[in-house]
Short mmCIF file of all heavy atoms in Angstrom, two decimals:
data_model
loop_
_atom_site.label_atom_id
_atom_site.label_comp_id
_atom_site.label_asym_id
_atom_site.label_seq_id
_atom_site.Cartn_x
_atom_site.Cartn_y
_atom_site.Cartn_z
N LEU D 56 -175.63 37.90 -137.70
CA LEU D 56 -175.69 38.34 -139.15
C LEU D 56 -175.45 39.85 -139.11
O LEU D 56 -176.36 40.48 -138.60
CB LEU D 56 -177.03 37.88 -139.81
CG LEU D 56 -177.01 38.18 -141.35
CD1 LEU D 56 -175.97 37.37 -141.94
CD2 LEU D 56 -178.39 37.77 -141.69
N VAL D 57 -174.39 40.28 -139.68
CA VAL D 57 -174.06 41.61 -139.59
C VAL D 57 -174.20 42.35 -140.91
O VAL D 57 -173.63 41.70 -141.88
CB VAL D 57 -172.50 41.88 -139.08
CG1 VAL D 57 -172.29 43.40 -139.02
CG2 VAL D 57 -172.47 41.25 -137.64
N GLN D 58 -174.80 43.44 -141.03
CA GLN D 58 -174.88 44.14 -142.39
C GLN D 58 -173.88 45.23 -142.43
O GLN D 58 -173.58 45.95 -141.50
CB GLN D 58 -176.32 44.80 -142.49
CG GLN D 58 -177.50 43.84 -142.44
CD GLN D 58 -177.43 42.87 -143.47
OE1 GLN D 58 -177.10 43.11 -144.65
NE2 GLN D 58 -177.70 41.50 -143.16
N GLY D 59 -173.28 45.47 -143.67
CA GLY D 59 -172.28 46.49 -143.86
C GLY D 59 -172.58 47.35 -144.97
O GLY D 59 -173.75 47.32 -145.45
N ILE D 60 -171.63 48.07 -145.34
CA ILE D 60 -171.85 48.89 -146.50
C ILE D 60 -171.62 48.17 -147.85
O ILE D 60 -171.13 47.06 -147.92
CB ILE D 60 -170.71 50.11 -146.46
CG1 ILE D 60 -169.36 49.48 -146.59
CG2 ILE D 60 -170.91 50.86 -145.19
CD1 ILE D 60 -168.27 50.62 -146.76
N LYS D 61 -172.08 48.81 -148.90
CA LYS D 61 -172.02 48.33 -150.26
C LYS D 61 -172.70 47.07 -150.50
O LYS D 61 -172.35 46.19 -151.32
CB LYS D 61 -170.48 48.05 -150.69
CG LYS D 61 -169.66 49.47 -150.59
CD LYS D 61 -168.30 49.24 -151.07
CE LYS D 61 -167.53 50.57 -151.01
NZ LYS D 61 -166.20 50.30 -151.63
N GLY D 62 -173.75 46.72 -149.65
CA GLY D 62 -174.45 45.48 -149.74
C GLY D 62 -173.92 44.24 -149.28
O GLY D 62 -174.34 43.11 -149.56
N PHE D 63 -172.77 44.39 -148.48
CA PHE D 63 -172.10 43.18 -147.99
C PHE D 63 -172.81 42.87 -146.61
O PHE D 63 -173.39 43.57 -145.86
CB PHE D 63 -170.65 43.49 -147.74
CG PHE D 63 -169.89 43.43 -148.97
CD1 PHE D 63 -169.66 44.63 -149.66
CD2 PHE D 63 -169.35 42.22 -149.45
CE1 PHE D 63 -168.81 44.51 -150.80
CE2 PHE D 63 -168.61 42.16 -150.64
CZ PHE D 63 -168.29 43.45 -151.32
N GLU D 64 -172.74 41.56 -146.29
CA GLU D 64 -173.00 40.96 -144.95
C GLU D 64 -172.10 39.94 -144.50
O GLU D 64 -171.33 39.31 -145.38
CB GLU D 64 -174.52 40.59 -144.97
CG GLU D 64 -174.74 39.26 -145.82
CD GLU D 64 -176.09 38.72 -145.69
OE1 GLU D 64 -176.99 39.50 -145.45
OE2 GLU D 64 -176.22 37.53 -145.98
N ALA D 65 -172.12 39.62 -143.30
CA ALA D 65 -171.32 38.54 -142.76
C ALA D 65 -171.94 37.88 -141.63
O ALA D 65 -172.73 38.46 -140.85
CB ALA D 65 -169.79 39.08 -142.33
N GLU D 66 -171.59 36.62 -141.53
CA GLU D 66 -172.26 35.83 -140.52
C GLU D 66 -171.19 35.26 -139.47
O GLU D 66 -170.28 34.57 -140.02
CB GLU D 66 -173.12 34.66 -141.08
CG GLU D 66 -173.86 33.86 -140.01
CD GLU D 66 -174.81 32.97 -140.56
OE1 GLU D 66 -174.81 32.76 -141.89
OE2 GLU D 66 -175.73 32.41 -139.83
N PHE D 67 -171.37 35.51 -138.31
CA PHE D 67 -170.48 34.96 -137.19
C PHE D 67 -170.92 33.64 -136.79
O PHE D 67 -172.22 33.47 -136.34
CB PHE D 67 -170.45 35.88 -135.95
CG PHE D 67 -169.68 35.40 -134.76
CD1 PHE D 67 -168.25 35.15 -134.80
CD2 PHE D 67 -170.31 35.08 -133.64
CE1 PHE D 67 -167.60 34.58 -133.75
CE2 PHE D 67 -169.67 34.66 -132.52
CZ PHE D 67 -168.26 34.35 -132.62
N LYS D 68 -170.15 32.55 -136.92
CA LYS D 68 -170.55 31.35 -136.43
C LYS D 68 -169.48 30.75 -135.37
O LYS D 68 -168.22 30.33 -135.80
CB LYS D 68 -170.57 30.29 -137.59
CG LYS D 68 -171.70 30.48 -138.54
CD LYS D 68 -171.86 29.59 -139.65
CE LYS D 68 -173.00 29.81 -140.54
NZ LYS D 68 -173.18 28.82 -141.64
N ARG D 69 -169.76 30.87 -134.13
CA ARG D 69 -168.84 30.49 -133.08
C ARG D 69 -168.45 29.11 -133.28
O ARG D 69 -167.25 28.74 -133.07
CB ARG D 69 -169.42 30.75 -131.77
CG ARG D 69 -168.46 30.45 -130.47
CD ARG D 69 -169.19 30.73 -129.20
NE ARG D 69 -169.66 32.07 -128.96
CZ ARG D 69 -168.79 33.04 -128.61
NH1 ARG D 69 -167.65 32.87 -128.45
NH2 ARG D 69 -169.47 34.21 -128.50
N SER D 70 -169.33 28.23 -133.56
CA SER D 70 -168.99 26.74 -133.63
C SER D 70 -168.05 26.34 -134.68
O SER D 70 -167.36 25.36 -134.52
CB SER D 70 -170.35 26.02 -133.71
OG SER D 70 -170.91 26.25 -134.97
N GLN D 71 -167.99 27.19 -135.63
CA GLN D 71 -167.07 26.99 -136.74
C GLN D 71 -165.89 27.91 -136.84
O GLN D 71 -165.06 27.95 -137.59
CB GLN D 71 -167.78 26.99 -138.11
CG GLN D 71 -168.81 26.05 -138.28
CD GLN D 71 -169.66 26.19 -139.60
OE1 GLN D 71 -169.16 26.87 -140.59
NE2 GLN D 71 -170.91 25.69 -139.66
N SER D 72 -165.89 28.89 -135.82
CA SER D 72 -164.88 29.90 -135.67
C SER D 72 -164.67 30.66 -137.02
O SER D 72 -163.59 30.74 -137.60
CB SER D 72 -163.41 29.28 -135.26
OG SER D 72 -163.55 28.69 -134.07
N SER D 73 -165.91 30.93 -137.58
CA SER D 73 -165.81 31.53 -138.90
C SER D 73 -166.62 32.94 -138.97
O SER D 73 -167.45 33.17 -138.10
CB SER D 73 -166.49 30.60 -139.97
OG SER D 73 -167.78 30.49 -139.72
N PHE D 74 -166.18 33.76 -139.84
CA PHE D 74 -166.89 35.05 -139.96
C PHE D 74 -166.77 35.37 -141.55
O PHE D 74 -165.99 36.04 -142.04
CB PHE D 74 -166.16 36.12 -139.19
CG PHE D 74 -166.77 37.52 -139.23
CD1 PHE D 74 -168.09 37.55 -138.83
CD2 PHE D 74 -166.10 38.63 -139.51
CE1 PHE D 74 -168.79 38.84 -138.79
CE2 PHE D 74 -166.76 39.83 -139.61
CZ PHE D 74 -168.03 40.00 -139.16
N ASN D 75 -167.71 34.56 -142.29
CA ASN D 75 -167.58 34.72 -143.80
C ASN D 75 -168.35 35.90 -144.35
O ASN D 75 -169.50 36.24 -143.78
CB ASN D 75 -168.15 33.47 -144.36
CG ASN D 75 -167.33 32.21 -144.07
OD1 ASN D 75 -166.15 32.33 -143.65
ND2 ASN D 75 -167.83 31.15 -144.37
N LEU D 76 -167.76 36.53 -145.36
CA LEU D 76 -168.32 37.73 -145.89
C LEU D 76 -169.20 37.30 -147.21
O LEU D 76 -168.71 36.41 -148.04
CB LEU D 76 -167.23 38.57 -146.37
CG LEU D 76 -167.64 40.04 -146.96
CD1 LEU D 76 -168.34 40.86 -145.92
CD2 LEU D 76 -166.43 40.61 -147.68
N ARG D 77 -170.34 37.93 -147.27
CA ARG D 77 -171.15 37.50 -148.46
C ARG D 77 -171.76 38.64 -149.11
O ARG D 77 -171.89 39.78 -148.56
CB ARG D 77 -172.29 36.68 -148.03
CG ARG D 77 -172.00 35.30 -147.28
CD ARG D 77 -173.10 34.34 -147.17
NE ARG D 77 -174.19 34.92 -146.35
CZ ARG D 77 -174.46 34.44 -145.12
NH1 ARG D 77 -173.83 33.28 -144.72
NH2 ARG D 77 -175.49 34.84 -144.47
N LYS D 78 -172.06 38.53 -150.44
CA LYS D 78 -172.88 39.53 -151.21
C LYS D 78 -173.66 38.80 -152.24
O LYS D 78 -173.17 37.89 -153.03
CB LYS D 78 -171.95 40.55 -151.86
CG LYS D 78 -172.54 41.75 -152.51
CD LYS D 78 -171.58 42.84 -152.98
CE LYS D 78 -172.47 43.96 -153.56
NZ LYS D 78 -171.43 45.04 -153.95
N PRO D 79 -174.91 39.11 -152.29
CA PRO D 79 -175.90 38.38 -153.27
C PRO D 79 -175.52 38.59 -154.65
O PRO D 79 -175.71 37.58 -155.52
CB PRO D 79 -177.21 38.90 -152.94
CG PRO D 79 -177.01 40.07 -152.02
CD PRO D 79 -175.75 40.07 -151.44
N SER D 80 -175.03 39.82 -155.12
CA SER D 80 -174.76 40.04 -156.48
C SER D 80 -173.59 40.98 -156.56
O SER D 80 -173.73 42.07 -156.16
CB SER D 80 -176.05 40.66 -157.11
OG SER D 80 -175.80 40.98 -158.52
N VAL D 81 -172.49 40.50 -157.21
CA VAL D 81 -171.31 41.50 -157.22
C VAL D 81 -171.36 42.34 -158.48
O VAL D 81 -171.93 42.05 -159.43
CB VAL D 81 -170.02 40.60 -157.16
CG1 VAL D 81 -169.89 39.86 -155.88
CG2 VAL D 81 -169.92 39.67 -158.41
N HIS D 82 -170.66 43.43 -158.28
CA HIS D 82 -170.54 44.45 -159.22
C HIS D 82 -169.04 44.50 -159.62
O HIS D 82 -168.15 44.21 -158.86
CB HIS D 82 -171.05 45.80 -158.84
CG HIS D 82 -171.08 46.89 -159.88
ND1 HIS D 82 -170.12 47.83 -159.93
CD2 HIS D 82 -172.02 47.18 -160.76
CE1 HIS D 82 -170.38 48.65 -160.91
NE2 HIS D 82 -171.60 48.33 -161.43
N TRP D 83 -168.74 44.99 -160.97
CA TRP D 83 -167.32 45.07 -161.31
C TRP D 83 -166.53 46.05 -160.34
O TRP D 83 -165.33 45.66 -160.20
CB TRP D 83 -167.23 45.62 -162.68
CG TRP D 83 -167.72 47.07 -162.84
CD1 TRP D 83 -168.99 47.49 -163.24
CD2 TRP D 83 -166.94 48.28 -162.53
NE1 TRP D 83 -168.96 48.82 -163.14
CE2 TRP D 83 -167.81 49.30 -162.83
CE3 TRP D 83 -165.62 48.50 -162.14
CZ2 TRP D 83 -167.35 50.70 -162.66
CZ3 TRP D 83 -165.17 49.81 -161.98
CH2 TRP D 83 -166.11 50.85 -162.28
N SER D 84 -167.22 46.98 -159.72
CA SER D 84 -166.49 47.75 -158.78
C SER D 84 -166.09 47.09 -157.42
O SER D 84 -165.37 47.70 -156.65
CB SER D 84 -167.32 48.99 -158.43
OG SER D 84 -168.52 48.77 -157.77
N ASP D 85 -166.55 45.82 -157.35
CA ASP D 85 -166.20 45.15 -156.12
C ASP D 85 -164.83 44.41 -156.16
O ASP D 85 -164.28 43.92 -155.10
CB ASP D 85 -167.19 44.11 -155.77
CG ASP D 85 -168.59 44.66 -155.33
OD1 ASP D 85 -168.64 45.65 -154.62
OD2 ASP D 85 -169.65 44.11 -155.69
N ALA D 86 -164.21 44.53 -157.35
CA ALA D 86 -162.90 43.97 -157.47
C ALA D 86 -161.89 44.69 -156.65
O ALA D 86 -161.85 45.89 -156.74
CB ALA D 86 -162.50 43.89 -158.96
N ALA D 87 -161.26 43.85 -155.76
CA ALA D 87 -160.36 44.62 -154.75
C ALA D 87 -159.80 43.39 -153.89
O ALA D 87 -159.97 42.18 -154.20
CB ALA D 87 -161.21 45.53 -153.82
N GLU D 88 -158.97 43.77 -152.93
CA GLU D 88 -158.39 42.96 -151.89
C GLU D 88 -159.34 43.02 -150.64
O GLU D 88 -159.61 44.19 -150.22
CB GLU D 88 -156.94 43.31 -151.55
CG GLU D 88 -156.25 42.25 -150.81
CD GLU D 88 -155.53 41.13 -151.76
OE1 GLU D 88 -155.60 41.37 -152.97
OE2 GLU D 88 -155.27 40.16 -151.19
N TYR D 89 -159.65 41.92 -150.07
CA TYR D 89 -160.56 41.87 -148.88
C TYR D 89 -159.72 41.27 -147.69
O TYR D 89 -159.18 40.17 -147.89
CB TYR D 89 -161.86 41.13 -149.17
CG TYR D 89 -162.72 41.83 -150.16
CD1 TYR D 89 -162.48 41.76 -151.48
CD2 TYR D 89 -163.74 42.48 -149.72
CE1 TYR D 89 -163.27 42.40 -152.38
CE2 TYR D 89 -164.59 43.23 -150.51
CZ TYR D 89 -164.34 43.14 -151.87
OH TYR D 89 -165.15 43.89 -152.71
N PHE D 90 -159.81 41.89 -146.56
CA PHE D 90 -159.16 41.35 -145.35
C PHE D 90 -160.09 41.26 -144.21
O PHE D 90 -160.93 42.11 -144.02
CB PHE D 90 -158.05 42.45 -144.92
CG PHE D 90 -156.93 42.53 -145.89
CD1 PHE D 90 -156.96 43.56 -146.89
CD2 PHE D 90 -155.83 41.74 -145.99
CE1 PHE D 90 -155.75 43.78 -147.77
CE2 PHE D 90 -154.79 41.95 -146.73
CZ PHE D 90 -154.79 42.93 -147.67
N CYS D 91 -159.88 40.14 -143.66
CA CYS D 91 -160.55 39.78 -142.28
C CYS D 91 -159.55 40.11 -141.24
O CYS D 91 -158.52 39.77 -141.29
CB CYS D 91 -161.03 38.35 -142.27
SG CYS D 91 -161.91 37.88 -140.83
N ALA D 92 -160.11 40.56 -140.14
CA ALA D 92 -159.21 41.09 -138.98
C ALA D 92 -159.93 40.71 -137.67
O ALA D 92 -161.10 40.85 -137.55
CB ALA D 92 -158.70 42.48 -139.10
N VAL D 93 -159.06 40.50 -136.59
CA VAL D 93 -159.71 40.32 -135.24
C VAL D 93 -158.75 41.21 -134.40
O VAL D 93 -157.58 41.48 -134.52
CB VAL D 93 -159.58 38.80 -134.82
CG1 VAL D 93 -158.09 38.39 -134.67
CG2 VAL D 93 -160.20 38.61 -133.47
N VAL D 94 -159.51 41.80 -133.35
CA VAL D 94 -158.92 42.63 -132.39
C VAL D 94 -157.91 41.82 -131.51
O VAL D 94 -158.22 40.74 -131.01
CB VAL D 94 -159.92 43.30 -131.54
CG1 VAL D 94 -159.25 44.08 -130.40
CG2 VAL D 94 -160.69 44.38 -132.29
N ARG D 95 -156.73 42.44 -131.30
CA ARG D 95 -155.73 41.73 -130.54
C ARG D 95 -155.89 41.77 -129.10
O ARG D 95 -155.45 40.83 -128.37
CB ARG D 95 -154.36 42.27 -130.83
CG ARG D 95 -153.92 42.07 -132.30
CD ARG D 95 -152.82 43.19 -132.67
NE ARG D 95 -151.52 43.03 -131.95
CZ ARG D 95 -150.58 42.30 -132.43
NH1 ARG D 95 -150.67 41.89 -133.61
NH2 ARG D 95 -149.45 42.36 -131.74
N GLY D 96 -156.65 42.64 -128.63
CA GLY D 96 -156.96 42.85 -127.23
C GLY D 96 -156.52 44.18 -126.79
O GLY D 96 -155.47 44.66 -127.16
N GLY D 97 -157.44 44.95 -126.22
CA GLY D 97 -157.13 46.14 -125.65
C GLY D 97 -156.91 47.19 -126.74
O GLY D 97 -157.55 47.23 -127.79
N ALA D 98 -155.81 47.90 -126.69
CA ALA D 98 -155.43 48.91 -127.75
C ALA D 98 -154.32 48.36 -128.61
O ALA D 98 -153.55 49.17 -129.39
CB ALA D 98 -155.01 50.16 -127.08
N ASP D 99 -154.15 47.05 -128.64
CA ASP D 99 -152.97 46.56 -129.34
C ASP D 99 -153.20 46.38 -130.83
O ASP D 99 -152.31 45.79 -131.59
CB ASP D 99 -152.81 45.07 -128.78
CG ASP D 99 -152.30 45.01 -127.26
OD1 ASP D 99 -152.25 46.18 -126.78
OD2 ASP D 99 -152.08 44.09 -126.73
N GLY D 100 -154.29 46.84 -131.39
CA GLY D 100 -154.40 46.84 -132.80
C GLY D 100 -155.08 45.63 -133.23
O GLY D 100 -155.91 44.92 -132.55
#
Side-chain angles (χ1 to χ4, degrees):
Chain D
L56 186 61
V57 180
Q58 302 298 319
I60 63 171
K61 303 185 180 186
F63 286 93
E64 66 178 25
E66 186 171 13
F67 171 66
K68 293 184 177 180
R69 184 185 299 277
S70 62
Q71 299 178 19
S72 296
S73 69
F74 187 55
N75 294 349
L76 182 71
R77 301 194 295 246
K78 187 170 184 178
S80 176
V81 297
H82 185 261
W83 65 266
S84 60
D85 292 325
E88 192 84 17
Y89 290 80
F90 292 97
C91 182
V93 64
V94 169
R95 296 157 64 97
D99 296 0

